[in-house]
Amino acid sequence: EIVLTQSPATLSLSPGERATLSCRASQSVSSYLGWYQQKPGQAPRLLIFDASNRATGIPARFSGSGSGTDFTLTISSLEPEDFAVYYCQHGGIWPLTFGGGTKVEIK
Amino acid sequence: EVQVLESGGGLVQPGGSLRLSCAASGFTLNNYVMRWVRQAPGKGLEWVSSISYSAGSTYYADSVKGRFTISRDNSKNTLYLQMNSLRAEDTAVYYCAKCTNFYFDLWGRGTLVTVSS
């Protein structure tokens, strides 16, 4: 089973700042890596697929990069609605697994 | 509107059974791989089960293998998760999700399953 380790666990930032979230895989997942956003009481929402492709309707301030074992989700300038928990998820090898999440909170 | 809506959650005693349903609208369930994901209170996301387009292939997490069964009724455009021999550690919000390739691109609101005596 591939283990995805997300860091940091919590990121405290102010609106307008840049957020950089990391996801590290225990073995290569090629570019089969997705990112999700989850707000309290809501279902997750797909942001990024295949490491760097934005899902439909996702603002351009969200970008993904990386391949192999190291991946990054960047939010270029935080909007108030971006404060949430973010999860990475790999594809291609069973079982599918998620990272433990990074909480982006208001500083 | 394209959406999925889960139902069937509730309180059940350890060892009991429950069947979750996921009604799809705005798209044809049969055209997509569908999956169940759960989230224990205050915890992260855990993939539970998947079913292929034709329902010819099903997959389960080790934690539920032999106890849970995923199925679909294409005539009703509905996905199911039959859960037997429930344990306290199965307590979670259960989400159904439409999938494209490896990714979960449409999620329902979830249904809460609580296993407790």
Side-chain angles (χ1 to χ4, degrees), chain A residues 31-34 36 38 42-44 46 49-50 87 89 91-92 94-96 98, chain B residues 35 37 39 43-47 50 59 61 95 101-105 107-109:
Chain A
S31 294
Y32 301 127
L33 195 286
Y36 299 81
Q38 187 178 32
Q42 295 186 20
L46 178 66
F49 64 94
D50 289 345
Y87 295 95
Q89 171 246 324
W94 292 102
L96 304 180
F98 293 86
Chain B
R35 296 179 173 135
V37 174
Q39 186 170 36
K43 302 297 184 182
L45 302 168
E46 179 189 15
W47 166 75
S50 300
Y59 304 88
Y95 296 100
N101 295 325
F102 310 115
Y103 307 103
F104 305 78
D105 59 5
W107 299 66
R109 293 183 177 183

Side-chain angles (χ1 to χ4, degrees), chain A residues 49-60:
Chain A
F49 64 94
D50 289 345
S52 61
N53 296 290
R54 276 189 301 277
T56 303
I58 302 304

Side-chain angles (χ1 to χ4, degrees), chain A:
Chain A
E1 174 177 315
I2 294 177
V3 176
L4 297 177
T5 302
Q6 292 188 241
S7 62
T10 304
L11 199 52
S12 299
L13 295 168
S14 300
E17 288 193 295
R18 181 184 189 90
T20 304
L21 288 67
S22 174
C23 177
R24 177 164 290 178
S26 59
Q27 65 187 77
S28 177
V29 297
S30 186
S31 294
Y32 301 127
L33 195 286
W35 290 93
Y36 299 81
Q37 176 194 66
Q38 187 178 32
K39 298 178 182 179
Q42 295 186 20
R45 176 176 69 147
L46 178 66
L47 300 175
I48 301 287
F49 64 94
D50 289 345
S52 61
N53 296 290
R54 276 189 301 277
T56 303
I58 302 304
R61 65 180 180 272
F62 292 91
S63 63
S65 63
S67 66
T69 61
D70 290 298
F71 300 87
T72 300
L73 174 70
T74 301
I75 310 171
S76 59
S77 178
L78 283 163
E79 296 288 338
E81 62 267 28
D82 298 336
F83 292 92
V85 179
Y86 293 83
Y87 295 95
C88 58
Q89 171 246 324
H90 80 82
I93 300 174
W94 292 102
L96 304 180
T97 56
F98 293 86
T102 291
K103 181 179 181 180
V104 178
E105 65 176 23
I106 299 176
K107 185 175 181 179

